[in-house]
Amino acid sequence: MKCIIITIGDEILAGKTVDSNSTWLSKELGSMGIGTSMAFTVPDEIEIIATTIEKSLSSADFVITTGGLGPTDDDMTREAIAKALDVELQFDDHYFAKIKDIFAERGIPMPENVRREAYVPEGARVLENGVGVAPGLLLEREGKYFIALPGVPPEMKDIFANQLRPMLSSMDGIEIRRVETFYTAGIPESARCSISFLRP
Amino acid sequence: MKCIIITIGDEILAGKTVDSNSTWLSKELGSMGIGTSMAFTVPDEIEIIATTIEKSLSSADFVITTGGLGPTDDDMTREAIAKALDVELQFDDHYFAKIKDIFAERGIPMPENVRREAYVPEGARVLENGVGVAPGLLLEREGKYFIALPGVPPEMKDIFANQLRPMLSSMDGIEIRRVETFYTAGIPESARCSISFLRP
């Protein structure tokens, strides 16, 4: 099983933010036997995001994006998904009610633009965000899975841990793996590469 | 001026290492007016690295790779460059003498496989590594620049700071920029996006 991770955001490409999301996701996926075959970082541009999603779906079983699901004009992922998968965005009244509740609970006025976060691509399953506003999105397409997660690390991790991991764990072909790490010191890489670690 | 950064290494895709190199490079390049248009992370596979280099050179002025220049069998970048740019790898006696000096100075025996690090693609300029063994490589191709840097962060930074930055700074079209950062607190992103920071 192969995954491609797409990190979306001008702030990553400008070097303002280190992309720790794809590292975390690769490790989590690896522990379930899903290898990350490639990773891309793309700007907040619908065309580029859409093309990258489309191409990635043609060569991997899972495609996961992080970022671009927020409320502002530079959050383009929903529109890019709609374009890449040729579906409409539909306003989800049920999720919008939840968003209103979140702001009511926080006791702060709800800016008008958060309505954007209640738009869901046709056929997508909404993955509830336990620590923020924007939901994750899951679409199945010809036996492949497209998953969009928010870029804010605690939100991404919450959705992965509470919504995605349980779902993935029960899929056919997923095998939970144990990783062993051997630390060495005082041997240069050029010499260390010939050491074999064999179990007795 | 646009740059594409290619990070090479299975250890990045396995989530064992956070890729901080491309963040650092993007920021440095940005301060010279070179925007990073996309970034890719690819595995230690010659074909994939070569194809990614080729495609990237068709859409950016600069293509920079990090990683895969070490002495071990999974260090494929030299071979991939040769394939992508259709040039031969040539053994550089002069650089090999330098490598021997490095090991002599360190007082440790030189493993046979470090010879790999003295192979240089035909026409490449060798960028001396002030803190490690593997040199960086620079090739000009139809007015575009291909640059290969080691993946070990202190080595990558040393070569960039001491060899590349002075070279890039003197190029036409490079403009040193000043970046101003405004920090805000207590305003959600959905509201903050409408604030304009204008100079008086």
Side-chain angles (χ1 to χ4, degrees), chain A residues 112-140:
Chain A
E112 185 54 26
N113 57 4
V114 294
R115 281 182 68 89
R116 283 171 62 89
E117 295 174 295
Y119 279 90
V120 170
E122 206 185 330
R125 177 162 165 184
V126 167
L127 305 171
E128 222 172 292
N129 185 335
V131 292
V133 176
L137 301 165
L138 170 78
L139 281 117
E140 208 185 324

PDB file of all heavy atoms in Angstrom, chain A residues 112-140:
ATOM      1  N   GLU A 112     -17.835  35.955   9.441  1.00  0.00           N
ATOM      2  CA  GLU A 112     -18.669  35.474   8.335  1.00  0.00           C
ATOM      3  C   GLU A 112     -17.948  34.412   7.488  1.00  0.00           C
ATOM      4  O   GLU A 112     -18.546  33.424   7.055  1.00  0.00           O
ATOM      5  CB  GLU A 112     -19.075  36.679   7.470  1.00  0.00           C
ATOM      6  CG  GLU A 112     -20.040  36.383   6.331  1.00  0.00           C
ATOM      7  CD  GLU A 112     -21.322  35.660   6.774  1.00  0.00           C
ATOM      8  OE1 GLU A 112     -21.741  35.798   7.954  1.00  0.00           O
ATOM      9  OE2 GLU A 112     -21.886  34.934   5.936  1.00  0.00           O
ATOM     10  N   ASN A 113     -16.614  34.608   7.292  1.00  0.00           N
ATOM     11  CA  ASN A 113     -15.896  33.714   6.369  1.00  0.00           C
ATOM     12  C   ASN A 113     -15.742  32.266   6.848  1.00  0.00           C
ATOM     13  O   ASN A 113     -15.342  31.407   6.068  1.00  0.00           O
ATOM     14  CB  ASN A 113     -14.532  34.308   5.983  1.00  0.00           C
ATOM     15  CG  ASN A 113     -13.661  34.604   7.191  1.00  0.00           C
ATOM     16  OD1 ASN A 113     -14.041  34.294   8.326  1.00  0.00           O
ATOM     17  ND2 ASN A 113     -12.509  35.198   6.965  1.00  0.00           N
ATOM     18  N   VAL A 114     -16.079  31.952   8.103  1.00  0.00           N
ATOM     19  CA  VAL A 114     -15.969  30.547   8.522  1.00  0.00           C
ATOM     20  C   VAL A 114     -17.024  29.674   7.841  1.00  0.00           C
ATOM     21  O   VAL A 114     -16.923  28.446   7.871  1.00  0.00           O
ATOM     22  CB  VAL A 114     -16.041  30.323  10.060  1.00  0.00           C
ATOM     23  CG1 VAL A 114     -14.852  30.928  10.759  1.00  0.00           C
ATOM     24  CG2 VAL A 114     -17.336  30.815  10.634  1.00  0.00           C
ATOM     25  N   ARG A 115     -18.035  30.320   7.225  1.00  0.00           N
ATOM     26  CA  ARG A 115     -19.014  29.556   6.425  1.00  0.00           C
ATOM     27  C   ARG A 115     -18.303  28.668   5.403  1.00  0.00           C
ATOM     28  O   ARG A 115     -18.767  27.578   5.089  1.00  0.00           O
ATOM     29  CB  ARG A 115     -19.941  30.509   5.654  1.00  0.00           C
ATOM     30  CG  ARG A 115     -21.066  31.126   6.454  1.00  0.00           C
ATOM     31  CD  ARG A 115     -21.928  32.018   5.550  1.00  0.00           C
ATOM     32  NE  ARG A 115     -22.663  31.234   4.555  1.00  0.00           N
ATOM     33  CZ  ARG A 115     -23.868  30.712   4.759  1.00  0.00           C
ATOM     34  NH1 ARG A 115     -24.474  30.898   5.910  1.00  0.00           N
ATOM     35  NH2 ARG A 115     -24.463  30.009   3.809  1.00  0.00           N
ATOM     36  N   ARG A 116     -17.183  29.182   4.876  1.00  0.00           N
ATOM     37  CA  ARG A 116     -16.397  28.415   3.888  1.00  0.00           C
ATOM     38  C   ARG A 116     -16.083  27.008   4.381  1.00  0.00           C
ATOM     39  O   ARG A 116     -16.003  26.063   3.608  1.00  0.00           O
ATOM     40  CB  ARG A 116     -15.057  29.117   3.608  1.00  0.00           C
ATOM     41  CG  ARG A 116     -15.142  30.314   2.696  1.00  0.00           C
ATOM     42  CD  ARG A 116     -13.803  31.062   2.658  1.00  0.00           C
ATOM     43  NE  ARG A 116     -12.699  30.260   2.133  1.00  0.00           N
ATOM     44  CZ  ARG A 116     -12.368  30.186   0.859  1.00  0.00           C
ATOM     45  NH1 ARG A 116     -13.041  30.863  -0.031  1.00  0.00           N
ATOM     46  NH2 ARG A 116     -11.354  29.435   0.461  1.00  0.00           N
ATOM     47  N   GLU A 117     -15.856  26.908   5.701  1.00  0.00           N
ATOM     48  CA  GLU A 117     -15.419  25.623   6.257  1.00  0.00           C
ATOM     49  C   GLU A 117     -16.542  24.589   6.311  1.00  0.00           C
ATOM     50  O   GLU A 117     -16.310  23.432   6.640  1.00  0.00           O
ATOM     51  CB  GLU A 117     -14.800  25.848   7.640  1.00  0.00           C
ATOM     52  CG  GLU A 117     -13.529  26.686   7.531  1.00  0.00           C
ATOM     53  CD  GLU A 117     -12.942  27.075   8.874  1.00  0.00           C
ATOM     54  OE1 GLU A 117     -13.595  27.830   9.614  1.00  0.00           O
ATOM     55  OE2 GLU A 117     -11.836  26.620   9.182  1.00  0.00           O
ATOM     56  N   ALA A 118     -17.775  25.022   6.011  1.00  0.00           N
ATOM     57  CA  ALA A 118     -18.897  24.077   6.020  1.00  0.00           C
ATOM     58  C   ALA A 118     -19.197  23.552   4.614  1.00  0.00           C
ATOM     59  O   ALA A 118     -20.137  22.789   4.418  1.00  0.00           O
ATOM     60  CB  ALA A 118     -20.130  24.735   6.624  1.00  0.00           C
ATOM     61  N   TYR A 119     -18.399  23.968   3.630  1.00  0.00           N
ATOM     62  CA  TYR A 119     -18.587  23.428   2.271  1.00  0.00           C
ATOM     63  C   TYR A 119     -17.834  22.109   2.128  1.00  0.00           C
ATOM     64  O   TYR A 119     -16.667  22.007   2.507  1.00  0.00           O
ATOM     65  CB  TYR A 119     -18.122  24.434   1.212  1.00  0.00           C
ATOM     66  CG  TYR A 119     -19.171  25.489   0.945  1.00  0.00           C
ATOM     67  CD1 TYR A 119     -19.197  26.669   1.682  1.00  0.00           C
ATOM     68  CD2 TYR A 119     -20.168  25.272  -0.011  1.00  0.00           C
ATOM     69  CE1 TYR A 119     -20.183  27.628   1.456  1.00  0.00           C
ATOM     70  CE2 TYR A 119     -21.151  26.226  -0.244  1.00  0.00           C
ATOM     71  CZ  TYR A 119     -21.150  27.396   0.492  1.00  0.00           C
ATOM     72  OH  TYR A 119     -22.131  28.336   0.276  1.00  0.00           O
ATOM     73  N   VAL A 120     -18.520  21.115   1.611  1.00  0.00           N
ATOM     74  CA  VAL A 120     -17.982  19.757   1.561  1.00  0.00           C
ATOM     75  C   VAL A 120     -18.122  19.226   0.136  1.00  0.00           C
ATOM     76  O   VAL A 120     -19.178  19.360  -0.470  1.00  0.00           O
ATOM     77  CB  VAL A 120     -18.781  18.860   2.546  1.00  0.00           C
ATOM     78  CG1 VAL A 120     -18.439  17.392   2.364  1.00  0.00           C
ATOM     79  CG2 VAL A 120     -18.530  19.304   3.988  1.00  0.00           C
ATOM     80  N   PRO A 121     -17.041  18.642  -0.420  1.00  0.00           N
ATOM     81  CA  PRO A 121     -17.172  18.080  -1.771  1.00  0.00           C
ATOM     82  C   PRO A 121     -18.214  16.953  -1.774  1.00  0.00           C
ATOM     83  O   PRO A 121     -18.246  16.142  -0.842  1.00  0.00           O
ATOM     84  CB  PRO A 121     -15.777  17.525  -2.078  1.00  0.00           C
ATOM     85  CG  PRO A 121     -14.856  18.186  -1.101  1.00  0.00           C
ATOM     86  CD  PRO A 121     -15.680  18.476   0.112  1.00  0.00           C
ATOM     87  N   GLU A 122     -19.041  16.941  -2.806  1.00  0.00           N
ATOM     88  CA  GLU A 122     -20.080  15.922  -2.995  1.00  0.00           C
ATOM     89  C   GLU A 122     -19.495  14.520  -2.785  1.00  0.00           C
ATOM     90  O   GLU A 122     -18.463  14.185  -3.372  1.00  0.00           O
ATOM     91  CB  GLU A 122     -20.539  16.050  -4.457  1.00  0.00           C
ATOM     92  CG  GLU A 122     -21.914  15.594  -4.781  1.00  0.00           C
ATOM     93  CD  GLU A 122     -22.136  15.683  -6.300  1.00  0.00           C
ATOM     94  OE1 GLU A 122     -21.515  16.564  -6.951  1.00  0.00           O
ATOM     95  OE2 GLU A 122     -22.897  14.848  -6.820  1.00  0.00           O
ATOM     96  N   GLY A 123     -20.143  13.746  -1.935  1.00  0.00           N
ATOM     97  CA  GLY A 123     -19.703  12.362  -1.728  1.00  0.00           C
ATOM     98  C   GLY A 123     -18.624  12.205  -0.671  1.00  0.00           C
ATOM     99  O   GLY A 123     -18.212  11.087  -0.366  1.00  0.00           O
ATOM    100  N   ALA A 124     -18.150  13.323  -0.107  1.00  0.00           N
ATOM    101  CA  ALA A 124     -17.078  13.223   0.891  1.00  0.00           C
ATOM    102  C   ALA A 124     -17.655  12.898   2.263  1.00  0.00           C
ATOM    103  O   ALA A 124     -18.753  13.325   2.606  1.00  0.00           O
ATOM    104  CB  ALA A 124     -16.290  14.522   0.972  1.00  0.00           C
ATOM    105  N   ARG A 125     -16.906  12.134   3.003  1.00  0.00           N
ATOM    106  CA  ARG A 125     -17.248  11.896   4.393  1.00  0.00           C
ATOM    107  C   ARG A 125     -16.552  12.974   5.227  1.00  0.00           C
ATOM    108  O   ARG A 125     -15.366  13.257   5.026  1.00  0.00           O
ATOM    109  CB  ARG A 125     -16.739  10.508   4.771  1.00  0.00           C
ATOM    110  CG  ARG A 125     -16.955  10.169   6.200  1.00  0.00           C
ATOM    111  CD  ARG A 125     -16.847   8.676   6.402  1.00  0.00           C
ATOM    112  NE  ARG A 125     -16.704   8.404   7.820  1.00  0.00           N
ATOM    113  CZ  ARG A 125     -16.515   7.208   8.320  1.00  0.00           C
ATOM    114  NH1 ARG A 125     -16.420   6.164   7.503  1.00  0.00           N
ATOM    115  NH2 ARG A 125     -16.408   7.028   9.613  1.00  0.00           N
ATOM    116  N   VAL A 126     -17.302  13.588   6.142  1.00  0.00           N
ATOM    117  CA  VAL A 126     -16.735  14.639   6.989  1.00  0.00           C
ATOM    118  C   VAL A 126     -16.054  14.000   8.197  1.00  0.00           C
ATOM    119  O   VAL A 126     -16.639  13.162   8.876  1.00  0.00           O
ATOM    120  CB  VAL A 126     -17.858  15.608   7.439  1.00  0.00           C
ATOM    121  CG1 VAL A 126     -17.373  16.515   8.553  1.00  0.00           C
ATOM    122  CG2 VAL A 126     -18.347  16.431   6.252  1.00  0.00           C
ATOM    123  N   LEU A 127     -14.787  14.349   8.432  1.00  0.00           N
ATOM    124  CA  LEU A 127     -14.037  13.808   9.574  1.00  0.00           C
ATOM    125  C   LEU A 127     -13.969  14.889  10.645  1.00  0.00           C
ATOM    126  O   LEU A 127     -13.310  15.915  10.466  1.00  0.00           O
ATOM    127  CB  LEU A 127     -12.620  13.411   9.142  1.00  0.00           C
ATOM    128  CG  LEU A 127     -12.513  12.425   7.966  1.00  0.00           C
ATOM    129  CD1 LEU A 127     -11.056  12.302   7.512  1.00  0.00           C
ATOM    130  CD2 LEU A 127     -13.072  11.057   8.339  1.00  0.00           C
ATOM    131  N   GLU A 128     -14.659  14.656  11.729  1.00  0.00           N
ATOM    132  CA  GLU A 128     -14.811  15.704  12.734  1.00  0.00           C
ATOM    133  C   GLU A 128     -13.479  16.125  13.364  1.00  0.00           C
ATOM    134  O   GLU A 128     -12.631  15.288  13.649  1.00  0.00           O
ATOM    135  CB  GLU A 128     -15.760  15.222  13.828  1.00  0.00           C
ATOM    136  CG  GLU A 128     -16.722  16.316  14.242  1.00  0.00           C
ATOM    137  CD  GLU A 128     -17.777  15.779  15.188  1.00  0.00           C
ATOM    138  OE1 GLU A 128     -18.629  14.969  14.744  1.00  0.00           O
ATOM    139  OE2 GLU A 128     -17.720  16.169  16.365  1.00  0.00           O
ATOM    140  N   ASN A 129     -13.341  17.443  13.545  1.00  0.00           N
ATOM    141  CA  ASN A 129     -12.142  18.045  14.119  1.00  0.00           C
ATOM    142  C   ASN A 129     -12.391  18.265  15.608  1.00  0.00           C
ATOM    143  O   ASN A 129     -13.208  19.106  15.984  1.00  0.00           O
ATOM    144  CB  ASN A 129     -11.899  19.374  13.388  1.00  0.00           C
ATOM    145  CG  ASN A 129     -10.623  20.063  13.795  1.00  0.00           C
ATOM    146  OD1 ASN A 129     -10.116  19.851  14.892  1.00  0.00           O
ATOM    147  ND2 ASN A 129     -10.095  20.893  12.908  1.00  0.00           N
ATOM    148  N   GLY A 130     -11.693  17.523  16.458  1.00  0.00           N
ATOM    149  CA  GLY A 130     -11.953  17.596  17.895  1.00  0.00           C
ATOM    150  C   GLY A 130     -11.345  18.811  18.580  1.00  0.00           C
ATOM    151  O   GLY A 130     -11.674  19.112  19.722  1.00  0.00           O
ATOM    152  N   VAL A 131     -10.440  19.510  17.901  1.00  0.00           N
ATOM    153  CA  VAL A 131      -9.769  20.637  18.555  1.00  0.00           C
ATOM    154  C   VAL A 131      -9.844  21.949  17.775  1.00  0.00           C
ATOM    155  O   VAL A 131      -9.328  22.964  18.224  1.00  0.00           O
ATOM    156  CB  VAL A 131      -8.281  20.317  18.854  1.00  0.00           C
ATOM    157  CG1 VAL A 131      -8.169  19.237  19.913  1.00  0.00           C
ATOM    158  CG2 VAL A 131      -7.533  19.896  17.600  1.00  0.00           C
ATOM    159  N   GLY A 132     -10.473  21.934  16.592  1.00  0.00           N
ATOM    160  CA  GLY A 132     -10.558  23.161  15.809  1.00  0.00           C
ATOM    161  C   GLY A 132     -11.848  23.195  15.018  1.00  0.00           C
ATOM    162  O   GLY A 132     -12.781  22.440  15.308  1.00  0.00           O
ATOM    163  N   VAL A 133     -11.897  24.056  14.009  1.00  0.00           N
ATOM    164  CA  VAL A 133     -13.144  24.258  13.275  1.00  0.00           C
ATOM    165  C   VAL A 133     -13.229  23.434  11.984  1.00  0.00           C
ATOM    166  O   VAL A 133     -14.199  22.720  11.752  1.00  0.00           O
ATOM    167  CB  VAL A 133     -13.332  25.767  12.953  1.00  0.00           C
ATOM    168  CG1 VAL A 133     -14.569  25.982  12.099  1.00  0.00           C
ATOM    169  CG2 VAL A 133     -13.430  26.573  14.251  1.00  0.00           C
ATOM    170  N   ALA A 134     -12.183  23.535  11.128  1.00  0.00           N
ATOM    171  CA  ALA A 134     -12.265  22.906   9.801  1.00  0.00           C
ATOM    172  C   ALA A 134     -12.250  21.378   9.894  1.00  0.00           C
ATOM    173  O   ALA A 134     -11.353  20.797  10.496  1.00  0.00           O
ATOM    174  CB  ALA A 134     -11.089  23.369   8.948  1.00  0.00           C
ATOM    175  N   PRO A 135     -13.246  20.706   9.297  1.00  0.00           N
ATOM    176  CA  PRO A 135     -13.253  19.246   9.338  1.00  0.00           C
ATOM    177  C   PRO A 135     -12.276  18.664   8.322  1.00  0.00           C
ATOM    178  O   PRO A 135     -11.910  19.325   7.351  1.00  0.00           O
ATOM    179  CB  PRO A 135     -14.682  18.893   8.929  1.00  0.00           C
ATOM    180  CG  PRO A 135     -15.095  20.001   8.017  1.00  0.00           C
ATOM    181  CD  PRO A 135     -14.399  21.239   8.537  1.00  0.00           C
ATOM    182  N   GLY A 136     -11.850  17.417   8.551  1.00  0.00           N
ATOM    183  CA  GLY A 136     -11.138  16.676   7.520  1.00  0.00           C
ATOM    184  C   GLY A 136     -12.145  16.120   6.536  1.00  0.00           C
ATOM    185  O   GLY A 136     -13.360  16.136   6.788  1.00  0.00           O
ATOM    186  N   LEU A 137     -11.665  15.649   5.395  1.00  0.00           N
ATOM    187  CA  LEU A 137     -12.558  15.142   4.353  1.00  0.00           C
ATOM    188  C   LEU A 137     -11.994  13.838   3.811  1.00  0.00           C
ATOM    189  O   LEU A 137     -10.777  13.708   3.652  1.00  0.00           O
ATOM    190  CB  LEU A 137     -12.654  16.163   3.212  1.00  0.00           C
ATOM    191  CG  LEU A 137     -13.167  17.560   3.596  1.00  0.00           C
ATOM    192  CD1 LEU A 137     -12.876  18.563   2.488  1.00  0.00           C
ATOM    193  CD2 LEU A 137     -14.659  17.521   3.915  1.00  0.00           C
ATOM    194  N   LEU A 138     -12.874  12.881   3.549  1.00  0.00           N
ATOM    195  CA  LEU A 138     -12.437  11.594   2.994  1.00  0.00           C
ATOM    196  C   LEU A 138     -13.295  11.247   1.792  1.00  0.00           C
ATOM    197  O   LEU A 138     -14.526  11.282   1.876  1.00  0.00           O
ATOM    198  CB  LEU A 138     -12.577  10.500   4.059  1.00  0.00           C
ATOM    199  CG  LEU A 138     -12.396   9.055   3.583  1.00  0.00           C
ATOM    200  CD1 LEU A 138     -10.917   8.730   3.408  1.00  0.00           C
ATOM    201  CD2 LEU A 138     -13.009   8.073   4.582  1.00  0.00           C
ATOM    202  N   LEU A 139     -12.654  10.943   0.686  1.00  0.00           N
ATOM    203  CA  LEU A 139     -13.385  10.514  -0.512  1.00  0.00           C
ATOM    204  C   LEU A 139     -12.799   9.220  -1.034  1.00  0.00           C
ATOM    205  O   LEU A 139     -11.572   9.069  -1.083  1.00  0.00           O
ATOM    206  CB  LEU A 139     -13.273  11.566  -1.620  1.00  0.00           C
ATOM    207  CG  LEU A 139     -14.177  12.785  -1.496  1.00  0.00           C
ATOM    208  CD1 LEU A 139     -13.333  14.027  -1.343  1.00  0.00           C
ATOM    209  CD2 LEU A 139     -15.076  12.912  -2.714  1.00  0.00           C
ATOM    210  N   GLU A 140     -13.664   8.289  -1.420  1.00  0.00           N
ATOM    211  CA  GLU A 140     -13.190   7.067  -2.043  1.00  0.00           C
ATOM    212  C   GLU A 140     -13.389   7.236  -3.539  1.00  0.00           C
ATOM    213  O   GLU A 140     -14.405   7.775  -3.990  1.00  0.00           O
ATOM    214  CB  GLU A 140     -14.003   5.878  -1.524  1.00  0.00           C
ATOM    215  CG  GLU A 140     -13.208   4.597  -1.556  1.00  0.00           C
ATOM    216  CD  GLU A 140     -14.028   3.383  -1.159  1.00  0.00           C
ATOM    217  OE1 GLU A 140     -14.899   3.509  -0.267  1.00  0.00           O
ATOM    218  OE2 GLU A 140     -13.800   2.319  -1.762  1.00  0.00           O
TER     219      GLU A 140
END
